[in-house]
Amino acid sequence: MRPDPASLPLLRRLHERVFGCDEVRAVVAAAFADLAAALEARPRALHTMSVIPVERVLDGSIPPVEDPVRLCRLFLLRRGARMATPERHRNSVQRLVSWRGCGRIHQAAPGDGPASVRPREIRSPTEPSAGGSANDQELYACWDIVPAGVWHYPEASVERDWATVTFHSAGEDQIVDELREAR
């Protein structure tokens, strides 16, 4: 789902942390280097994922929101690949930013089933500005929001592997990830 105006203050601050804070950028870059090595070591794998403790990314200056950030996951999807099956996070809002590369998030409307997904293109910032600030148009282009319980799946472009940073409102020990059963 394209970010709405109410979501922009939080997305703006998360964007500043991910792209504008040297310490956070170094942590994320190192984690993606590890994920790239793991993906290279498993040629048949479509993706790999890791968790970064949210405290290493956030600094306490995140605006208060109804669905706060409690989990940070990094996801690396092989170029040209898509997830084999749709998923949903039954109890968690997912806010996703493209770190490197681009792709599409295929997402159903709230209340619809996994067969009704529609794609939305997401790209990485071309040149993150000083301090990681972004205008609204860049936030709309780089970020996506998946409401709790909504079916979705990513698809990477054919140009390169797609690296994304996701922020969830449920913690690692609370999030309920559900995959659509194969038919």
Side-chain angles (χ1 to χ4, degrees):
M1 164 174 114
R2 181 182 165 142
D4 63 355
S7 66
L8 292 180
L10 175 60
L11 297 185
R12 188 171 288 112
R13 188 63 186 128
L14 291 171
H15 195 92
E16 289 169 0
R17 293 297 296 166
V18 170
F19 295 105
C21 176
D22 291 340
E23 181 182 327
V24 173
R25 255 194 351 261
V27 167
V28 171
F32 274 123
D34 291 344
L35 289 176
L39 199 58
E40 188 174 320
R42 297 178 19 228
R44 294 182 156 226
L46 295 179
H47 72 280
T48 187
M49 187 265 303
S50 69
V51 173
I52 293 180
V54 74
E55 301 79 27
R56 296 202 63 195
V57 179
L58 304 182
D59 65 353
S61 67
I62 300 300
V65 291
E66 184 177 324
D67 297 303
V69 174
R70 294 190 176 105
L71 173 62
C72 179
R73 289 178 173 169
L74 304 183
F75 191 79
L76 186 61
L77 182 61
R78 195 176 299 280
R79 68 179 171 192
R82 62 163 274 207
M83 291 302 297
T85 182
E87 69 173 345
R88 66 179 171 181
H89 315 290
R90 185 173 288 283
N91 64 336
S92 183
V93 173
Q94 174 182 283
R95 296 168 184 96
L96 171 142
V97 67
S98 183
W99 169 264
R100 183 183 63 241
C102 64
R104 293 187 285 182
I105 298 295
H106 297 259
Q107 186 176 154
D112 285 352
S116 68
V117 297
R118 290 172 290 287
R120 180 169 180 272
E121 186 86 20
I122 307 295
R123 65 162 176 81
S124 299
T126 50
E127 292 278 333
S129 58
S133 63
N135 62 39
D136 292 356
Q137 287 307 105
E138 185 168 52
L139 293 175
Y140 290 135
C142 301
W143 285 85
D144 192 68
I145 300 171
V146 180
V150 170
W151 292 101
H152 64 282
Y153 64 87
E155 177 184 17
S157 72
V158 297
E159 288 82 31
R160 69 184 307 181
D161 295 347
W162 190 24
T164 60
V165 181
T166 62
F167 295 96
H168 290 271
S169 60
E172 186 176 10
D173 58 341
Q174 301 164 328
I175 194 167
V176 179
D177 295 323
E178 182 180 346
L179 297 176
R180 178 181 175 200
E181 292 183 25
R183 294 178 182 206

